[in-house]
Amino acid sequence: MLTLVTKRILTKTESIEQHLFQKRCRRCGNTQAHLFAELPHTTCGKSCVYCRNCIQMGRVLECEPLYIGSANVQWPIYEAACVWEGTLTPGQQRAADDLTALVQNGSGEHLIWAVCGAGKTEVLFPAITKALETGKRICLATPRTDVVRELQPRLQKAFPTVDTAALYGDSPDKNGQASFVIATTHQLFRFAHAFDVLIIDEVDAFPFHNDPTLHFAAKRAAKLEAAIIYLTATPRKEQKRRLRQKSLPVTFIPKRFHGHPLPVPVLKLTPMLHRSLKQGKLPQHLLKAIAAQQTTARQLLLFLPSIKKAEEIASFLKEEGYEVKSVHAEDHHRAEKIQSFRNKEYRILVTTTILERGVTFPSVDVYVIDAGHVVFDEAALVQISGRAGRSADDPDGEVRFYHIGKTDEMLDAVEAIKKMNKLGQKL
């Protein structure tokens, strides 16, 4: 380690610093006093402060330094790295040109505001190609593990000769030493001034949008002169504020790649819903609606507001004779279950908001059960609705919100989708 520091390959820095009148963790940026604690340390023989906020990545002690790797690494130059042969729509091409110009300029920010199913991943291909041609290092970060699992094979197929790494909690790849890194936003804690191009996918998603330590990690992971790209279908207040102030350049794609409008949710008043859910069941008329849906060619995504309710309803539907599984954030087999659903090995997938975004199924209907629950805010409902109608072969999936009373979030989600469709028609 001393040799690496002497050769300036590594730079030693204190792990926990006194920042103004409070401590700050140099790894995650945490400054909240209740997330620091002390413990006796055998090496230095005294009680040392450590950060509890990023403890899952290993303990950071104030008496032990952190080491930052050098950013002056020459990454390979890849010529004609992209083998994708698809065609971009005019809206996609406009966004791709803007991002390529950003990468060529070398630094700055840009937001791509694109409706669900607009083909945001393909929009990135020209800019990624340009970055790789000039020996730049790229990171595409997203808040959800399931999205990393889905994106990695797609990107590897489009860029087969490029050294890529997929990083998430239990990923087999651990070192992240690649020209192109696809990672969860939590993995950005591992990097400092490492990337020439940083892409934050689903910038509005939990937990990224309301966790200041993840914003700290993203800012630190990018080089000082980096191109930073944000992708979203549902920007939050902060992004909209910056757009109004014209401090954040934006390209808007209001139409899906296949040209068809977004499915508009239908609101279904269900007075007995809460009583049935308390019993771990669904109302009879909703059960009839599911039975009717199962006579169609489409699969069915059922969204429930909690893990408990998702498992209860999945069990209830099994008892009713349906082919069904449930997935949620604590399900260690969710990747296999999602792939099995994609392979059409069963008909119904019951899920929490873990699948509200970033995953694509070619032909599904979407029912949100108890859509008035607090977990289903406007952004979540818009994203959930965006799971339907994503294929050009079946662009008309049905979306239903089952509720005991309309909420502002439901109405705002429907209005936002209608507004997107109107903008798409104009263009």
Side-chain angles (χ1 to χ4, degrees):
M1 187 71 73
L2 181 61
T3 302
L4 295 176
V5 173
T6 303
K7 293 182 177 180
R8 297 184 179 181
I9 297 174
L10 294 179
T11 301
K12 184 167 69 173
T13 183
E14 58 185 334
S15 56
I16 297 175
E17 64 177 353
Q18 190 70 30
H19 182 65
L20 298 178
F21 299 105
Q22 57 191 357
K23 293 184 182 298
R24 183 174 72 172
C25 174
R26 292 293 298 274
R27 180 166 68 182
C28 72
N30 170 52
T31 58
Q32 300 183 63
H34 73 280
L35 291 177
F36 290 105
E38 293 186 3
L39 83 168
H41 193 240
T42 55
T43 301
C44 65
K46 64 178 183 179
S47 292
C48 292
V49 172
Y50 70 96
C51 178
R52 295 170 52 234
N53 186 62
C54 55
I55 189 68
Q56 71 274 16
M57 298 182 66
R59 187 179 290 123
V60 170
L61 285 163
E62 64 176 341
C63 61
E64 295 179 350
L66 291 174
Y67 294 89
I68 300 174
S70 172
N72 298 319
V73 176
Q74 295 296 319
W75 296 95
I77 292 175
Y78 294 92
E79 296 183 1
C82 184
V83 299
W84 182 70
E85 296 180 346
T87 302
L88 298 177
T89 67
Q92 288 177 311
Q93 190 62 60
R94 185 172 63 253
D97 291 343
D98 290 341
L99 297 185
T100 303
L102 175 69
V103 170
Q104 285 179 318
N105 292 336
S107 64
E109 296 176 293
H110 199 96
L111 171 68
I112 300 298
W113 182 351
V115 298
C116 299
K120 294 189 292 293
T121 303
E122 288 74 17
V123 164
L124 297 171
F125 288 173
I128 292 172
T129 301
K130 177 59 65 176
L132 293 169
E133 287 175 351
T134 52
K136 292 183 177 181
R137 194 182 188 199
I138 308 159
C139 177
L140 196 165
T142 181
R144 304 288 177 88
T145 295
D146 298 290
V147 181
V148 175
R149 290 195 182 108
E150 178 155 315
L151 283 176
Q152 198 274 336
R154 289 174 61 189
L155 292 167
Q156 186 68 77
K157 183 178 180 180
F159 300 91
T161 63
V162 178
D163 183 19
T164 63
L167 304 178
Y168 48 90
D170 55 351
S171 61
D173 192 343
K174 299 298 182 185
N175 60 39
Q177 298 300 313
S179 295
F180 191 4
V181 175
I182 305 111
T184 57
T185 49
H186 280 88
Q187 295 293 321
L188 295 179
F189 286 128
R190 300 170 52 180
F191 298 96
H193 314 306
F195 300 106
D196 303 283
V197 179
L198 178 62
I199 305 163
I200 308 292
D201 188 22
E202 306 290 2
V203 68
D204 64 294
F206 175 86
F208 184 79
H209 81 92
N210 61 352
D211 189 338
T213 64
L214 290 177
H215 288 266
F216 171 88
K219 183 177 180 181
R220 188 187 60 188
K223 291 183 179 180
L224 297 178
E225 296 293 325
I228 301 177
I229 298 166
Y230 306 109
L231 306 175
T232 184
T234 48
R236 300 281 179 169
K237 290 181 179 179
E238 174 60 21
Q239 287 94 43
K240 290 181 178 179
R241 180 189 64 80
R242 292 190 62 191
L243 294 180
R244 288 194 300 271
Q245 295 176 346
K246 297 184 178 181
S247 63
L248 178 62
V250 62
T251 305
F252 187 54
I253 311 176
K255 185 178 289 189
R256 287 182 154 183
F257 76 94
H258 51 53
H260 294 270
L262 297 159
V264 178
V266 177
L267 275 56
K268 295 285 188 178
L269 180 62
T270 314
M272 301 297 290
L273 181 59
H274 281 182
R275 180 180 295 183
S276 297
L277 288 175
K278 285 181 181 179
Q279 299 172 354
K281 300 179 180 180
L282 294 176
Q284 194 62 33
H285 82 93
L286 205 165
L287 198 57
K288 289 181 179 179
I290 292 175
Q293 193 279 335
Q294 291 295 283
T295 64
T296 70
R298 296 187 189 116
Q299 294 171 281
L300 179 62
L301 276 175
L302 281 182
F303 283 84
L304 274 294
S306 69
I307 293 174
K308 180 181 178 183
K309 291 303 175 188
E311 292 180 335
E312 288 178 351
I313 297 307
S315 297
F316 169 71
L317 290 173
K318 283 181 182 178
E319 293 174 0
E320 294 292 322
Y322 291 100
E323 300 173 357
V324 58
K325 295 185 184 296
S326 66
V327 293
H328 49 77
E330 297 177 8
D331 187 346
H332 297 298
H333 302 289
R334 71 178 186 269
E336 294 89 340
K337 291 179 180 179
I338 292 169
Q339 188 58 48
S340 296
F341 184 70
R342 188 175 283 116
N343 294 340
K344 297 186 177 182
E345 295 175 14
Y346 58 97
R347 294 274 303 168
I348 302 175
L349 181 59
V350 184
T351 181
T352 60
T353 55
I354 190 69
L355 294 187
E356 75 178 36
R357 61 180 74 218
V359 291
T360 299
F361 304 107
S363 182
V364 295
D365 289 326
V366 177
Y367 294 176
V368 182
I369 312 301
D370 197 12
H373 194 282
V374 65
V375 302
F376 296 123
D377 61 12
E378 177 191 345
L381 290 172
V382 170
Q383 292 282 357
I384 288 170
S385 301
R387 298 313 98 202
R390 297 179 73 92
S391 170
D393 297 326
D394 183 19
D396 302 316
E398 187 176 17
V399 180
R400 297 184 181 185
F401 293 169
Y402 287 92
H403 62 93
I404 63 167
K406 297 176 183 178
T407 63
D408 289 341
E409 303 293 344
M410 278 188 273
L411 296 174
D412 290 344
V414 172
E415 186 61 30
I417 290 171
K418 289 181 177 179
K419 183 177 180 180
M420 292 174 189
N421 286 340
K422 287 180 181 179
L423 288 172
Q425 288 176 350
K426 290 180 180 179
L427 294 178

